[in-house]
């Protein structure tokens, strides 16, 4: 076994049955802070530590892709002070974690409307993506200024333009073509979607891609989410019977 197989086996997981792609809706930073009578930004700061844990654990266990819902299109409606603090935290994370991503063969990718992000953030993202573009150990997708509905609208506009130009027949549009015009075109759909904080909704996240994802909702607030719970969720995933609408024959 390779080192990631060893880590998975030591954790009681079957390395051959790990999800290839895990997506996480990181929810609960604000409530974590409120429970402690702290500013919401303190919750986001603590949540950044959990991000580091999730990335390291995923890489060690051998998960090929991890997508983290970091900032949604709807989050632009939050107070400017909170948005500014989140962008500062993002820059701090990119600066502090860049070398670790390079050392651990992690490729950074961004899905979402990058053009809406501040220039200082975009520059750091592009710098880190370029530096890590040849890494093949794991893909870390940061969903930033991301919304699934706007992603789908973007895809429809792209395909409509091709049809209008006469270079694409409407009849030629199939599921594969749609998938190839989404932000996630280079990676498989998520096998497992995790949402923290107990909220029972998808929140406009990867609506096309999670059609057959296994979903796990935990009441744990994101800053309190730890490696042990992550592993227990992966064990639960490995115990599920994934039929994709089919019926298994005896």
């Amino acid at each position: 076994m390779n080192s990631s197989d060893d880590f998975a086996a030591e954790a009681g997981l079957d390395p051959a049955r790990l999800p290839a792609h895990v997506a996480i809706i990181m929810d609960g930073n604000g409530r974590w802070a409120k429970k402690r009578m702290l500013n919401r930004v303190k919750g986001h700061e603590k949540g950044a530590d959990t991000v580091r844990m999730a990335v390291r654990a995923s890489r060690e266990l051998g998960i090929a892709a991890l997508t983290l819902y970091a900032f949604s299109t709807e989050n632009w409606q939050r107070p400017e002070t909170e948005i500014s603090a989140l962008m500062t935290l993002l820059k701090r994370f990119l600066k502090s974690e860049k070398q670790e991503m390079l050392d651990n063969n992690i490729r950074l990718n961004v899905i979402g409307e990058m053009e809406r992000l501040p220039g200082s953030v975009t520059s750091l993202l592009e710098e880190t993506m370029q530096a890590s573009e040849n890494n093949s150990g794991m893909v870390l997708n940061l969903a930033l200024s991301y919304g699934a509905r706007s992603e789908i609208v973007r895809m429809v506009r792209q395909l409509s333009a091709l049809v209008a130009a006469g270079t694409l027949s409407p009849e030629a549009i199939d599921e594969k073509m749609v998938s190839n015009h989404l932000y996630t075109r280079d990676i498989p759909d998520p096998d497992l979607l995790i949402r923290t904080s107990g909220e029972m909704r998808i929140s406009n996240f990867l609506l096309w891609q999670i059609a057959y994802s296994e979903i796990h909702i935990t009441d744990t607030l994101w800053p309190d989410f730890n490696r042990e719970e992550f592993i227990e969720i992966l064990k639960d995933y490995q115990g599920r019977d994934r039929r994709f609408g089919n019926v298994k024959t005896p």
Side-chain angles (χ1 to χ4, degrees):
M1 291 191 294
N2 60 38
S3 59
S4 60
D5 287 349
D6 290 336
F7 272 113
E10 288 171 8
L13 294 162
D14 179 354
R17 297 177 58 238
L18 282 169
H21 182 183
V22 175
I24 305 179
I25 301 173
M26 308 179 294
D27 194 20
N29 290 343
R31 272 166 286 172
W32 184 92
K34 185 176 180 181
K35 283 173 62 175
R36 291 159 177 79
M37 293 185 289
L38 298 171
N39 185 287
R40 286 176 59 87
V41 175
K42 294 296 182 183
H44 295 310
E45 290 175 350
K46 186 67 169 63
D49 294 334
T50 309
V51 169
R52 293 184 182 92
M53 177 281 300
V55 174
R56 289 170 185 170
S58 297
R59 178 67 184 98
E60 288 175 358
L61 293 169
I63 293 168
L66 175 68
T67 298
L68 301 176
Y69 202 7
F71 192 86
S72 73
T73 49
E74 291 75 22
N75 287 157
W76 288 114
Q77 302 171 41
R78 293 187 177 188
E80 287 187 16
T81 51
E82 183 173 351
I83 293 173
S84 177
L86 284 168
M87 295 300 145
T88 298
L89 277 173
L90 176 57
K91 288 189 288 186
R92 189 183 305 165
F93 174 84
L94 291 168
K95 290 176 181 177
S96 66
E97 302 305 305
K98 177 183 176 181
Q99 193 57 51
E100 182 162 344
M101 283 189 269
L102 297 179
D103 291 343
N104 288 283
N105 202 19
I106 297 171
R107 177 168 67 88
L108 179 67
N109 186 48
V110 174
I111 62 173
E113 300 170 357
M114 273 186 65
E115 66 276 7
R116 296 183 67 182
L117 298 171
S120 57
V121 173
T122 303
S123 297
L124 275 173
L125 287 168
E126 290 176 343
E127 176 186 311
T128 308
M129 285 191 289
Q130 184 175 2
S132 66
E133 63 182 353
N134 294 320
N135 289 353
S136 58
M138 187 183 89
V139 178
L140 170 60
N141 282 310
L142 294 182
L144 292 166
S145 189
Y146 173 85
R149 288 184 171 183
S150 65
E151 177 184 31
I152 291 169
V153 168
R154 173 179 171 272
M155 173 274 298
V156 170
R157 285 174 176 166
Q158 288 178 348
L159 295 182
S160 297
L162 294 175
V163 171
T167 58
L168 175 66
S169 165
E171 290 75 21
I173 300 173
D174 56 14
E175 290 186 13
K176 184 177 180 180
M177 184 174 291
V178 169
S179 294
N180 285 339
H181 283 80
L182 298 176
Y183 291 123
T184 53
R185 58 188 173 274
D186 296 326
I187 59 173
D189 291 340
D191 298 297
L192 173 64
L193 171 68
I194 300 170
R195 178 166 191 148
T196 58
S197 87
E199 299 291 350
M200 305 292 284
R201 56 179 178 269
I202 302 302
S203 295
N204 197 21
F205 185 50
L206 300 177
L207 297 180
W208 173 274
Q209 297 91 332
I210 62 170
Y212 277 101
S213 301
E214 295 296 318
I215 299 176
H216 189 105
I217 308 292
T218 173
D219 290 332
T220 303
L221 301 176
W222 178 246
D224 291 328
F225 189 71
N226 57 36
R227 181 188 178 95
E228 291 71 27
E229 183 170 7
F230 189 21
I231 288 172
E232 288 304 309
I233 291 172
L234 293 173
K235 287 179 181 177
D236 175 78
Y237 165 85
Q238 292 194 337
R240 298 191 187 185
D241 182 15
R242 303 188 74 202
R243 297 187 301 274
F244 300 93
N246 201 350
V247 176
K248 286 189 176 180
T249 55

